[in-house]
């Protein structure tokens, strides 16, 4: 039966080529946009290299100070706060401290090369899963000794050393010479906690360790033993914040800092500034935006489907006269519409791959590596099915209600 429905659907698509083109264009364009957006979302917030274990990671990127008169100031926390307070939490498996990346200059063949430099500790390399193309990360001893060693990304290696090996070679950044010990795959700039062009030991900035203020230019990464430990760590963190000594109580009355997942940090920054990350509201807005984006093409497709099905009223009348039930007729038209939608989905898949390729090569997002992994592909298939069902059920139901006699006469009531 299903095979016959698909054969009929294929014949119907070939019968009215203009309607078929309009339908497939609307479906494929809509799904292309949704799949590109889904890929971008997964690229920014999903478990991607080097932040693969996102279900066990929390990030401390912000410290907000609130005064008596209601003013707020916020920024990254200090090394002192992360080392003295966050590292003292009992439940985390590991805590890493790294700096916010900053732009530095290097020169290759008398040409200026702008690079982003990040200072990290040893735990940074143990928590995050970088893909090493050459060499290794700097070790505990090199961090303790504040050695002038560096890990660079593949783009920096290409610009600085060309096709030659980089390990053991010197790289000069801001007039400071470092010995290259490792080369890693490029990390997209959307991964703010791990992204850089050059990584060097955090102890090279140990003059900032003496600053006992709570705000600075550092970030923390907390790794839990299991995903189930995250709520406990958040509770410990909230209790710890009540113990933090405020150095300037005349100016600051309250402190706010939270260990968030990547998505929670984004939602809190965009929507919430208090205790709640507003992650539920963020998901609701995403779902609403997707629904509204799909609504217009769905309405258009419903109208096209109704016009297409109206032409087949005689066929419906004959089938009803021979005993076909409304349920069978609805099933046939839904299958036909899902078949049409899946063809549009395949075209949308090809289009989205082309758009992702253009984005990756355009440089709009530094080191972007958009692609269709299993998660994005699964969402694409789900969107195809939802799109097909929504736009197919109503026309099928409307036509299944036709009176057999009226249908045989060519009527539509």
């Amino acid at each position: 039966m299903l095979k016959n429905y698909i054969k009929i659907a294929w014949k119907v698509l070939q019968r009215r080529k203009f309607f078929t083109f309009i339908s497939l264009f609307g479906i494929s364009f809509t799904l292309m946009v949704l799949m590109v957006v889904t890929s971008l979302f997964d690229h920014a917030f999903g478990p991607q290299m080097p932040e693969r274990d996102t279900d066990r990671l929390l990030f401390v990127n912000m410290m907000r100070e609130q005064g008596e008169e209601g003013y707020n100031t916020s920024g990254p926390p200090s090394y002192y706060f992360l080392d003295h307070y966050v590292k003292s939490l009992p439940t985390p498996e590991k805590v890493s401290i790294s700096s916010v990346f900053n732009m530095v200059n290097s020169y290759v063949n008398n040409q200026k090369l702008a690079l982003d430099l990040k200072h990290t500790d040893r735990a940074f390399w143990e928590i995050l899963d970088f893909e090493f193309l050459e060499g290794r990360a700097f070790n505990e001893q090199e961090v303790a000794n504040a050695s002038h060693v560096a890990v660079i990304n593949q783009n920096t290696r290409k610009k600085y050393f060309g096709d030659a090996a980089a390990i053991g070679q010197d790289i000069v950044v801001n007039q400071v010479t470092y010995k290259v010990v490792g080369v890693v795959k490029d990390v997209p700039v959307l991964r703010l906690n791990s992204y850089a062009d050059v990584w060097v030991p955090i102890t090279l900035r140990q003059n900032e360790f003496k600053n006992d203020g709570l705000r600075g230019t550092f970030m923390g990464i907390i790794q839990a033993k299991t995903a189930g430990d995250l709520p406990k760590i958040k509770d410990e963190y909230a209790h710890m914040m009540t113990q933090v000594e405020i150095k300037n109580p005349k100016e600051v009355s309250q402190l706010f800092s939270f260990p968030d997942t990547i998505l929670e940090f984004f939602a809190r920054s965009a929507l919430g500034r208090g205790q709640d990350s507003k992650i539920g509201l963020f998901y609701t807005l995403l779902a609403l935006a997707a629904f509204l984006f799909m609504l217009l093409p769905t309405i258009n497709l419903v109208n096209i489907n109704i016009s297409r099905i109206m032409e087949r009223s005689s066929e419906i009348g004959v089938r009803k006269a021979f005993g076909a039930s409304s349920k069978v007729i609805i099933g046939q038209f839904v299958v036909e519409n899902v078949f049409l939608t899946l063809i549009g989905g395949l075209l949308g898949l090809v289009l989205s791959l082309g758009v992702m390729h253009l984005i990756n090569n355009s440089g709009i997002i530094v080191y972007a590596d958009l692609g269709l992994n299993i998660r994005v592909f699964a969402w694409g298939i789900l969107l195809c099915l939802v799109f097909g069902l929504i736009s197919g059920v109503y026309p099928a139901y409307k036509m299944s209600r036709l009176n057999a006699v009226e249908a045989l006469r060519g009527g539509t009531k």
Side-chain angles (χ1 to χ4, degrees), residues 47-278:
Q48 299 278 355
M49 183 280 297
E51 299 160 12
R52 296 190 197 278
D53 298 326
T54 51
D55 60 332
R56 293 197 297 138
L57 298 181
L58 293 172
F59 300 89
V60 182
N61 295 341
M62 194 65 65
M63 171 68 72
R64 183 163 66 90
E65 298 174 328
Q66 182 171 308
E68 289 287 356
E69 298 178 357
Y71 74 87
N72 289 284
T73 58
S74 61
S78 66
Y79 182 90
Y80 168 79
F81 170 76
L82 294 167
D83 184 60
H84 189 73
Y85 291 103
V86 180
K87 276 195 169 182
S88 66
L89 297 176
T91 300
E93 185 176 50
K94 292 177 183 173
V95 176
S96 166
I97 303 175
S98 59
S99 70
V100 176
F101 66 80
N102 62 298
M103 186 177 291
V104 295
N105 294 323
S106 184
Y107 290 89
V108 181
N109 298 326
N110 294 322
Q111 289 189 338
K112 182 178 172 182
L113 181 62
L115 300 171
D116 288 323
L117 179 74
K118 192 178 189 68
H119 295 75
T120 80
D121 58 9
R122 172 58 195 169
F124 179 84
W125 301 99
E126 296 171 348
I127 293 175
L128 300 177
D129 187 17
F130 282 86
E131 186 175 336
F132 273 85
L133 305 177
E134 296 178 46
R136 58 174 176 79
F138 32 83
N139 57 41
E140 196 70 56
Q141 192 63 46
E142 289 167 332
V143 174
N145 295 340
S147 302
H148 282 201
V149 292
V151 175
I152 62 176
N153 64 0
Q154 63 184 114
N155 184 61
T156 303
R157 181 191 64 179
K158 183 178 180 181
K159 289 183 176 177
Y160 210 93
F161 301 105
D163 295 328
I167 304 302
Q169 302 297 314
D170 290 339
I171 182 171
V172 181
V173 176
N174 267 11
Q175 300 180 341
V176 178
T177 302
Y178 301 91
K179 188 174 291 297
V180 177
V181 297
V183 179
V184 296
K185 188 177 179 181
D186 294 332
V187 177
V189 71
L190 296 176
R191 298 284 170 167
L192 296 177
N193 292 278
S194 49
Y195 159 80
D197 292 303
V198 180
W199 296 262
V200 299
I202 195 170
T203 42
L204 291 168
R205 290 177 61 171
Q206 55 188 312
N207 60 316
E208 298 179 44
F209 295 176
K210 299 175 183 176
N211 173 24
D212 63 355
L214 299 176
R215 286 179 47 199
T217 57
F218 294 89
M219 302 187 293
I221 304 176
I222 300 172
Q223 184 183 45
K225 293 175 185 173
T226 65
D229 285 342
L230 295 188
K232 186 178 180 182
I233 293 174
K234 289 184 176 182
D235 290 341
E236 290 175 356
Y237 194 98
H239 177 71
M240 175 271 291
M241 285 301 298
T242 63
Q243 310 298 316
V244 176
E245 179 185 0
I246 298 177
K247 305 289 184 180
N248 48 346
K250 292 183 179 179
E251 300 173 1
V252 178
S253 59
Q254 280 187 291
L255 295 171
F256 297 93
S257 178
F258 305 92
D260 288 327
T261 63
I262 302 174
L263 191 57
E264 285 174 338
F265 173 71
F266 182 81
R268 192 187 299 278
S269 302
L271 303 173
R273 291 186 174 275
Q275 300 289 333
D276 192 353
S277 66
K278 303 288 185 184

